[in-house]
Amino acid sequence: MDFLIAAIMGLIEGITEWLPVSSTGHLILAERIFLFNQPEEFVSMFRVVIQLGAILAVVVLFFGKLWPIGRRTTRDGEFLMFKMPVLRLWGRVLVGTIPALVLGLLLDDWLDAHLYNYIVVAAMLILYGIFFILVERFPRPVKVRTVQDITLTQALVIGFWQVLAMIPGTSRSGATIVGGMLLGLSRAAVAEFTFYLAIPVMAGASFLKVLKFLLGAGSFTLMQLGILAVGCLVAFLVSLFAIRFLMNYVKKHTFTAFGWYRIALGVLVLLVM
């Protein structure tokens, strides 16, 4: 049953990590139905580490835009070269990562202890649902249409919006999308930049959780490694479709539907918990 539950959690993670609906909100509901036969320390770590599968989907889908080394052919032969636009993009991603990196190291344990509860999750679901509706109803003029046009200052501000997603129920993509749209980024640009920001942030969070688990438990059992592998694999496969869906969706639609969905989910969390 633990392997089946891992697959279900990977399915939920793969869908909700990239859509601005809060993966935490959905996982906290799922955990009321599907209970791992594992220590709480492992379950807490599992919730974060299955994000690695989702990250890998971003790397696979956007590899051409993210890989900074290219080839140049001349009469003297073929040479490796750095792609300057990609390096500039990575510079903006790293700048946008700084706030979450610094504050995440300082506040991770405190947030888990004080804010990981259904009331906070429900409140953030509803609050950001309202934000989405208001941002779409009173849109700012679009000034930035592609990720290449994002400035260092805009990347840093979006990074601070990403910090707000440390509060359970906020949604990392939800916070950065709201922040980016308030700065004048197009839906497509802020959604794509959100995917890129996830790579260092989620990889760092996963490493930190694994390290804390190993310091406490000492090692993984063979079954626990299998559970993690199943969760990550399913999250990866589902993320491939979820990311494609969102990038196609934002070309023709607003985020208003996600706002109403978040409000409904927040109310549901309050009713069933």
Side-chain angles (χ1 to χ4, degrees):
M1 285 299 295
D2 279 352
F3 288 100
L4 177 60
I5 293 172
I8 293 171
M9 294 299 185
L11 173 66
I12 295 171
E13 167 66 23
I15 295 174
T16 60
E17 183 61 51
W18 307 114
L19 305 184
V21 294
S22 174
S23 58
T24 303
H26 288 78
L27 289 173
I28 200 172
L29 281 174
E31 288 170 6
R32 296 284 292 182
I33 304 171
F34 308 106
L35 299 177
F36 276 114
N37 186 27
Q38 297 291 330
E40 175 55 33
E41 292 78 9
F42 173 80
V43 176
S44 177
M45 180 270 300
F46 174 88
R47 291 188 202 109
V48 177
V49 175
I50 56 171
Q51 296 175 346
L52 291 174
I55 295 172
L56 183 58
V58 175
V59 175
V60 169
L61 289 175
F62 294 97
F63 185 81
K65 292 185 176 183
L66 293 172
W67 184 246
I69 300 175
R71 294 178 181 274
R72 182 180 180 184
T73 302
T74 67
R75 288 179 297 178
D76 299 322
E78 190 175 65
F79 301 92
L80 295 177
M81 57 177 288
F82 286 109
K83 303 176 186 176
M84 294 310 298
V86 178
L87 291 179
R88 285 194 292 270
L89 174 60
W90 272 111
R92 282 147 180 76
V93 170
L94 293 177
V95 167
T97 303
I98 291 172
L101 176 64
V102 174
L103 294 176
L105 290 173
L106 294 175
L107 300 176
D108 182 62
D109 289 335
W110 185 90
L111 289 168
D112 279 350
H114 294 86
L115 297 184
Y116 193 85
N117 61 73
Y118 75 93
I119 295 177
V120 172
V121 169
M124 291 300 102
L125 282 167
I126 294 170
L127 180 62
Y128 277 84
I130 295 171
F131 283 168
F132 270 123
I133 294 170
L134 292 177
V135 166
E136 291 290 7
R137 183 160 297 181
F138 305 101
R140 298 291 298 273
V142 175
K143 303 175 183 177
V144 178
R145 297 193 177 277
T146 69
V147 289
Q148 285 76 21
D149 297 326
I150 295 173
T151 67
L152 288 172
T153 301
Q154 289 169 335
L156 183 61
V157 173
I158 294 171
F160 278 106
W161 275 90
Q162 183 173 232
V163 169
L164 297 176
M166 295 170 63
I167 303 173
T170 298
S171 170
R172 195 189 57 79
S173 60
T176 54
I177 286 172
V178 168
M181 290 181 67
L182 289 175
L183 290 173
L185 274 66
S186 69
R187 297 184 190 92
V190 71
E192 187 174 338
F193 191 62
T194 293
F195 298 151
Y196 300 159
L197 279 180
I199 297 173
V201 169
M202 292 163 63
S206 297
F207 174 78
L208 185 62
K209 285 293 185 181
V210 169
L211 181 62
K212 288 181 178 179
F213 177 78
L214 291 176
L215 289 175
S219 64
F220 290 100
T221 67
L222 188 60
M223 174 173 283
Q224 288 172 341
L225 287 174
I227 291 170
L228 278 175
V230 169
C232 287
L233 177 61
V234 174
F236 166 71
L237 294 174
V238 175
S239 290
L240 293 174
F241 294 97
I243 293 170
R244 287 196 187 102
F245 167 79
L246 184 61
M247 292 306 295
N248 289 326
Y249 181 89
V250 297
K251 294 176 182 177
K252 301 178 181 179
H253 303 86
T254 71
F255 287 108
T256 301
F258 290 115
W260 287 114
Y261 177 84
R262 289 179 62 99
I263 293 171
L265 181 65
V267 172
L268 179 62
V269 170
L270 290 175
L271 291 175
V272 304
M273 297 303 287

